[in-house]
Amino acid sequence: MTGTKVMVRLSIITSAFALLIASTVLPVRADDESIDIRSRQITHFKVGSDQTRFGEFEFMGGLELSSSSASLGGMSAIRLSEGRDNFLGVMDTGFWYAGRFERDEDGVLTGVTDFSVSPILDADGAASDEKWRFDAEGLVVRGDEVLVSFERDSRVDIYPAKAPGGSRPTGSLPLLIPLEEFRSNRGLETITVAPETSALAGAVVVVSERSLNTSGDIYAAILTGPSKGVFFVKRHAPYDITDGDFLPNGDLLLLERRFSMAEGIGMRIRRIDGSRLGPGNLVDGPVLLETDFGYQIDNMEGLDVTTDNQGQIFVTLVSDDNHSILQRNLILEFRYLGDAQ
């Protein structure tokens, strides 16, 4: 569906987890505004190359999304449905977004339909255009709940999965990391849930972007379960952490980004041994993928790990365009070929 315009309804997401199956949407306002989304297929990950294998990753295709509407942009996290056809995410401007992927007979991404956005509400049921209040950076679905991590007004809020777009949070999780340790605009980025079969048995894990201790290591925490407590991730400058998710075996993939005026944007994915996650520990791991602007990347912010009905593992990435005409909204998909069961 290269270059095809898809009519998208700007609407309140009344069912986020159900949206991952089939949801009913209500209009944001009476005139039920619709916008155009254009999807351009990305068939090659490395610019000017037919290469598809990159270490333990096989590039499966991607999309560049654009729109004349200002409502598209700022996508900072994404989670796919069990069938990998639908998705839910948050924007760092304080919005939920959701939609459905179109795929060809080989499962390759060809477009996006039913894309919808709605404001994230606070405990008083109010939305706000003050970014510091709703700078949503991470999202994970846990049973019948959706957990959202916020960076500047540091917190993890809990929303009902049946209707997050029209609901106020039902509560919050204790952060365990002292609030004074969160650096300005470098706070919580990653929130994910460990597999039930792993050593952490479904525990919620958060990692900050670049909130550092006196040794220069990154603050992180296990928020729930018997192993809860603060741990640290080794930082390798100039990279900062933007998202992460667990592999089926309990190891953690971390998405990292670098940016400088001299070298531009870079992206990498690091694998952390899940058995090392625990209070007081300092964790590190091998880099599985590292790229620069010689590849189809931008400001990569979101990562999700999914498994199909054949047991194949996929990693989906999303970029945040910062609502800049110089940046792009990208969705990239890889098959993970490493040992992860």
Side-chain angles (χ1 to χ4, degrees):
M1 189 176 289
T2 304
T4 300
K5 288 187 176 181
V6 181
M7 292 302 295
V8 179
R9 176 160 296 177
L10 181 65
S11 55
I12 292 179
I13 304 165
T14 60
S15 177
F17 195 53
L19 106 159
L20 300 178
I21 304 172
S23 63
T24 302
V25 294
L26 301 174
V28 165
R29 56 178 190 260
D31 62 3
D32 196 18
E33 178 183 2
S34 294
I35 60 175
D36 285 336
I37 292 287
R38 292 173 292 277
S39 300
R40 184 182 70 83
Q41 276 188 282
I42 298 172
T43 56
H44 300 88
F45 182 51
K46 187 175 183 180
V47 176
S49 172
D50 293 333
Q51 179 182 349
T52 60
R53 180 74 182 261
F54 303 91
E56 297 181 351
F57 297 89
E58 179 185 8
F59 183 61
M60 302 300 294
L63 299 171
E64 179 181 345
L65 307 181
S66 60
S67 175
S68 59
S69 170
S71 298
L72 177 67
M75 297 185 293
S76 55
I78 189 168
R79 298 295 177 186
L80 275 61
S81 63
E82 184 175 345
R84 305 184 60 253
D85 292 326
N86 300 289
F87 58 87
L88 170 69
V90 288
M91 298 172 171
D92 62 13
T93 48
F95 288 87
W96 306 93
Y97 72 90
R100 175 181 291 273
F101 286 133
E102 293 182 326
R103 299 180 182 273
D104 65 17
E105 61 275 11
D106 296 318
V108 175
L109 292 171
T110 59
V112 169
T113 60
D114 301 326
F115 191 92
S116 60
V117 304
S118 68
I120 298 173
L121 303 182
D122 64 15
D124 296 323
S128 174
D129 58 5
E130 296 180 275
K131 184 174 179 177
W132 70 270
R133 293 182 57 196
F134 289 95
D135 188 356
E137 295 291 346
L139 167 146
V140 68
V141 178
R142 182 182 68 165
D144 59 357
E145 299 174 329
V146 177
L147 311 180
V148 179
S149 59
F150 294 87
E151 182 173 39
R152 303 193 199 194
D153 183 8
S154 302
R155 65 192 190 277
V156 171
D157 283 348
I158 305 169
Y159 291 85
K162 291 184 178 179
S167 300
R168 66 188 68 190
T170 59
S172 300
L173 291 181
L175 293 184
L176 303 186
I177 301 171
L179 288 178
E180 63 269 20
E181 297 295 350
F182 289 114
R183 307 299 179 254
S184 177
N185 202 26
R186 292 291 186 268
L188 292 178
E189 284 278 333
T190 299
I191 183 166
T192 185
V193 173
E196 290 289 348
T197 55
S198 70
L200 292 182
V204 177
V205 175
V206 294
V207 185
S208 67
E209 177 182 359
R210 200 205 310 171
S211 292
L212 308 179
N213 64 9
T214 56
S215 300
D217 301 316
I218 300 164
Y219 269 95
I222 302 166
L223 300 187
T224 63
S227 298
K228 67 182 179 182
V230 174
F231 67 96
F232 300 92
V233 179
K234 185 69 177 178
R235 180 175 186 251
H236 297 282
Y239 281 95
D240 296 320
I241 294 170
T242 59
D243 206 0
D245 198 11
F246 282 96
L247 292 168
N249 72 345
D251 284 354
L252 178 63
L253 293 185
L254 290 176
L255 175 65
E256 299 179 285
R257 169 198 60 209
R258 64 169 172 81
F259 173 78
S260 72
M261 296 302 294
E263 299 182 6
I265 289 177
M267 177 204 83
R268 71 180 198 175
I269 297 176
R270 190 171 18 153
R271 179 171 175 166
I272 305 297
D273 182 349
S275 68
R276 290 285 302 142
L277 299 178
N281 289 353
L282 173 63
V283 300
D284 196 358
V287 174
L288 305 184
L289 176 66
E290 186 167 7
T291 64
D292 56 22
F293 256 175
Y295 297 77
Q296 293 283 3
I297 67 167
D298 207 280
N299 176 33
M300 308 311 296
E301 285 266 351
L303 177 149
D304 187 36
V305 175
T306 52
T307 305
D308 68 8
N309 55 15
Q310 298 176 326
Q312 298 183 105
I313 300 169
F314 294 87
V315 176
T316 304
L317 307 178
V318 66
S319 72
D320 172 4
D321 72 341
N322 289 309
H323 290 279
S324 168
I325 61 173
L326 301 178
Q327 295 179 257
R328 299 183 293 167
N329 298 292
L330 302 180
I331 298 174
L332 306 174
E333 196 158 74
F334 299 84
R335 181 159 49 199
Y336 182 66
L337 304 176
D339 180 19
Q341 299 292 346

